[in-house]
Amino acid sequence: MPKRNSLWANIDWVTVSIFLILLFLGWINIYASVYNQEHQSIFDTSQRYGKQIIWIGAALAIGFFILIIESNFYVFFSYIIYGFVVSLLILVLFLGTNINGQRAWFMFGSFGFQPSEFCKFATGLALANYMNVHGFKLQQFKSLAIISAIILGPAILILLQNDTGSALVYFSFVLVLYREGL
C-alpha cells in the first residue's frame, strides 16, 4: 500500500465525524439544560452554552495545530511539558483558588483553568516517550518504578488538591500498560 503524504488523507474521518457529532450533541444538551427565556440565542456568551462554543472552537483550533506539528516536537519536549505541568500542580496547591472544597484552579478574572486537565495529556506524552526507548522492557523493575513515578506523581498531587475524580483518571493508564503486557 503506498504511503500517503497528505495530512488530510491520513485522518480517520469516521472517528472525526463521530467526535464532531458528539461534540455538537453535548453542546445542544448544555443549551437545553440551562435554557432561559431571556437568553434565547444559542451563541450568547454570557451563558454557559455560549462560553462552551468558544471552548469548542478553541479545542478544534488546538487539535488542528497538534496535527500539523511534526511528531519529533512531541518526542523532544515531552519531559519538559510534563515537568512544567507537574510544577503547575505543585503551584496550584499554594496559589490556587478554592472552589467547592478543591484547591485545583488558577483564576484570572472570570477565566479559570485546572492544571490537572493538562497534566493528563502531559503524562500520556511522557509515558509514550519513556516506553518508546529502544530496548524497553515493561517487566523490568526499573521500568515499572519509573512508569509508576510518572503516573503516581501527578495523581498524588491531585489528591492533595482534594480532586479525587481527576486523580482516578490517572489509573486508567494502567489499562494501557496491561494491554502492553503488564
Side-chain angles (χ1 to χ4, degrees):
M1 183 173 191
K3 182 180 175 185
R4 298 181 190 173
N5 291 328
S6 169
L7 170 69
W8 302 112
N10 289 321
I11 294 177
D12 180 3
W13 288 107
V14 172
T15 302
V16 171
S17 300
I18 292 170
F19 169 74
L20 291 174
I21 290 168
L22 290 173
L23 196 68
F24 177 74
L25 291 174
W27 180 47
I28 295 299
N29 279 318
I30 293 170
Y31 177 69
S33 67
V34 295
Y35 180 75
N36 185 346
Q37 286 282 353
E38 297 173 13
H39 303 279
Q40 292 184 2
S41 172
I42 197 165
F43 298 106
D44 184 358
T45 57
S46 69
Q47 300 299 309
R48 289 183 182 199
Y49 45 83
K51 291 178 183 175
Q52 190 66 30
I53 194 66
I54 293 171
W55 287 113
I56 289 170
L60 292 174
I62 290 169
F64 175 74
F65 285 114
I66 287 172
L67 277 175
I68 63 173
I69 293 175
E70 181 66 33
S71 62
N72 290 336
F73 172 85
Y74 300 111
V75 172
F76 184 78
F77 286 107
S78 64
Y79 295 129
I80 295 169
I81 293 169
Y82 179 78
F84 175 73
V85 177
V86 168
S87 65
L88 286 177
L89 286 177
I90 294 169
L91 198 59
V92 80
L93 290 171
F94 301 104
L95 302 176
T97 302
N98 195 335
I99 297 175
N100 295 330
Q102 300 174 346
R103 184 173 295 276
W105 290 83
F106 284 119
M107 297 300 293
F108 303 101
S110 65
F111 173 77
F113 83 96
Q114 196 173 11
S116 64
E117 296 300 322
F118 294 98
C119 200
K120 294 170 189 173
F121 165 75
T123 302
L125 204 56
L127 267 178
N129 192 7
Y130 178 71
M131 294 175 69
N132 194 37
V133 174
H134 180 69
F136 172 79
K137 295 203 183 327
L138 185 60
Q139 289 77 16
Q140 292 178 340
F141 178 76
K142 178 184 172 190
S143 296
L144 288 174
I146 292 172
I147 286 172
S148 296
I150 290 172
I151 295 172
L152 291 176
I156 291 169
L157 289 171
I158 292 169
L159 281 173
L160 292 173
Q161 298 170 10
N162 202 20
D163 189 4
T164 309
S166 290
L168 286 174
V169 171
Y170 287 85
F171 295 104
S172 66
F173 286 112
V174 174
L175 298 174
V176 175
L177 296 173
Y178 180 73
R179 183 190 167 279
E180 292 299 318
L182 180 67

